[in-house]
Amino acid sequence: MHKAKKQSFFNDVYEVVKCIPAGRVSTYGAIAHYLGLRSGARMVGWALNHAVALPEVPAHRVVNCHGMLTGKRHFGSPDRMAELLRQEGIQVENDCVQDFKNIFWDPAKELNI
DNA sequence: TTCCTGACTTCGC
DNA sequence: AGCGAAGCCAGGA
């Protein structure tokens, strides 16, 4: 594997995440699947770990397949992620996105690039 | 190099 | 329906 490929993977993840509209959320698995990885969900999370420093990448809009805020502990403050989501009109209760199925944003369906 | 870990998902019981 | 175990890929020790 070459660095260029990894870099491309990072960039692809960022591009997809940047396309997530405010008020909607996506999942690691959906993004990984969209990028062609079989089970690269963990890699997406790993890539987003480097994206917290990038203000243009709304990493807080990415949750796990159950709509839970598993990445909240990487946002500096434990409740930072939930607050960011609430500011966008998303209801968060007990680290879990409410009405997740309804606000779920699937790049494979709603994005065509 | 081998082993362990992690912002995950899926299958089996 | 809910929980535990296995599978997955990349990086760090």
Side-chain angles (χ1 to χ4, degrees):
Chain A
M1 77 179 71
H2 288 289
K3 290 180 182 177
K5 188 171 185 178
K6 181 185 72 174
Q7 206 60 25
S8 172
F9 168 71
F10 269 64
N11 205 20
D12 289 343
V13 171
Y14 298 160
E15 287 301 316
V16 175
V17 174
K18 283 192 287 187
C19 290
I20 302 175
R24 305 288 297 278
V25 296
S26 192
T27 69
Y28 308 98
I31 296 171
H33 188 266
Y34 174 75
L35 294 179
L37 290 82
R38 295 195 312 138
S39 300
R42 307 183 87 147
M43 297 307 99
V44 174
W46 174 66
L48 286 180
N49 191 21
H50 291 265
V52 292
L54 307 176
E56 54 185 1
V57 181
H60 60 278
R61 293 178 194 152
V62 185
V63 296
N64 74 350
C65 65
H66 299 296
M68 299 170 68
L69 279 55
T70 51
K72 57 178 290 185
R73 63 199 202 95
H74 294 272
F75 279 81
S77 170
D79 293 324
R80 179 77 182 283
M81 188 173 183
E83 284 304 317
L84 288 172
L85 290 174
R86 289 198 184 98
Q87 289 175 11
E88 299 179 352
I90 297 176
Q91 296 182 358
V92 181
E93 294 292 334
N94 199 12
D95 297 340
C96 192
V97 172
Q98 302 300 295
D99 201 17
F100 167 66
K101 190 176 181 179
N102 225 12
I103 67 175
F104 171 62
W105 184 85
D106 188 355
K109 293 182 180 179
E110 314 203 32
L111 193 68
N112 268 330
I113 49 178

